[in-house]
Amino acid sequence: MVNFMSGGRSRRPSSFRYYQDGPPVEVNMATYRLRVSGLGVSDIYLDASALASIPRLTQSRRMVCVCNWSIRELWGGFLVRSLLEYIGWDELAKGRYLKQVSIGTADKGIYDSTIPLSGLLERDALIVDQINGSPLPMERGYPFRLIDFGLYGYKSVKGLAHLLITDQLKLGVWERKAGYTVEGTIRPKRYRICDLDDHRFVERPGEVTEF
Ligand SMILES: Nc1nc2c(c(=O)[nH]1)N[C@H]1C(S)=C(S)[C@@H](COP(=O)(O)O)O[C@H]1N2
Ligand SMILES: [Mo]
């Protein structure tokens, strides 16, 4: 029997997908700027052409949500490290935290989360603008999202507006509302693996690389 509701590489349980605070209805790339700010330095505003000049890569990596599902996809973008090198802030990053802030919407507000920069750099976290060779759809985080694949999805902000280098580790939206840990490491347990249309047990904490 053909089950029309099953399977599909990219099918995720829709009730487990979140865009708690968005997505924005529209983003105008002619005026979009990714704001980067930090302690004691002037804010930098990166437009589309500046962002396009950062060395790029494409990686197949697995995203895991705290709500027990996961999906591996081909992400295109650049390393957080490359962005910091591009703006000359790699030294400023040492021992600090990176607060990610989403584009706001009038009715739904702003999403944010903060990750220690040392961890982001160690885990080769990405800032992506493509998924499987196409621009990110609005609900997947257009125009740019950060992803730290060693941490649960709630730590990684879609629809980025602002990256702030800070010396304070503050709770983000989901951490406050749902009581998730501020640290957010992926835990060993059973997950629904959407791209394999199966369930698997993840044996070790951190990024899932074995399947
Ligand atoms: N701006 C924003 N980013 C967000 C969220 C959100 O609600 N708003 N949800 C997070 C959570 S909990 C997860 S699991 C992933 C989901 O990413 P996906 O839509 O690509 O599946 O986005 C994360 N980033
Ligand atoms: Mo999530």
Side-chain angles (χ1 to χ4, degrees):
M1 192 184 89
V2 181
N3 179 353
F4 292 101
M5 293 309 288
S6 83
R9 244 195 61 77
S10 62
R11 190 172 199 97
R12 310 196 262 329
S14 57
S15 59
F16 296 151
R17 289 199 49 214
Y18 293 108
Y19 212 124
Q20 172 77 5
D21 301 292
V25 178
E26 193 183 6
V27 178
N28 180 354
M29 284 312 284
T31 53
Y32 174 83
R33 303 285 182 272
L34 177 63
R35 178 181 171 202
V36 192
S37 68
L39 309 151
V41 289
S42 309
D43 293 11
I44 292 180
Y45 293 86
L46 299 166
D47 63 14
S49 75
L51 289 160
S53 66
I54 299 173
R56 296 184 62 84
L57 42 70
T58 301
Q59 292 185 333
S60 165
R61 293 176 81 178
R62 178 169 294 290
M63 192 183 85
V64 183
C65 172
V66 69
C67 297
N68 302 336
W69 61 267
S70 168
I71 191 162
R72 174 178 289 280
E73 295 189 276
L74 192 62
W75 305 97
F78 46 84
L79 293 162
V80 171
R81 183 185 308 115
S82 302
L83 169 74
L84 294 176
E85 284 169 2
Y86 177 80
I87 61 176
W89 284 12
D90 30 336
E91 283 300 309
L92 188 69
K94 296 214 170 100
R96 315 269 198 211
Y97 305 94
L98 189 69
K99 180 176 182 183
Q100 316 150 56
V101 184
S102 76
I103 297 165
T105 57
D107 50 333
K108 293 194 173 164
I110 288 173
Y111 188 86
D112 75 284
S113 191
T114 303
I115 303 177
L117 269 154
S118 56
L120 279 173
L121 299 178
E122 270 163 31
R123 293 184 292 266
D124 291 329
L126 302 182
I127 293 174
V128 304
D129 58 359
Q130 288 193 342
I131 189 165
N132 302 321
S134 304
L136 288 174
M138 200 62 87
E139 74 279 5
R140 304 295 308 275
Y142 183 84
F144 290 92
R145 69 188 292 182
L146 186 149
I147 310 186
D148 184 325
F149 295 91
L151 308 182
Y152 283 129
Y154 70 83
K155 294 297 307 181
S156 295
V157 172
K158 299 191 278 194
L160 279 179
H162 181 190
L163 293 172
L164 168 68
I165 296 179
T166 156
D167 53 9
Q168 290 176 46
L169 181 58
K170 292 221 174 117
L171 293 181
V173 166
W174 268 117
E175 296 140 56
R176 255 192 334 270
K177 280 192 194 160
Y180 299 146
T181 66
V182 70
E183 179 246 344
T185 303
I186 294 168
R187 307 312 313 173
K189 61 177 168 174
R190 197 165 171 268
Y191 294 92
R192 170 161 167 71
I193 309 300
C194 301
D195 47 299
L196 302 177
D197 200 12
D198 199 3
H199 289 82
R200 294 275 167 94
F201 199 88
V202 167
E203 306 281 346
R204 283 183 301 280
E207 180 166 358
V208 180
T209 54
E210 52 272 44
F211 53 86

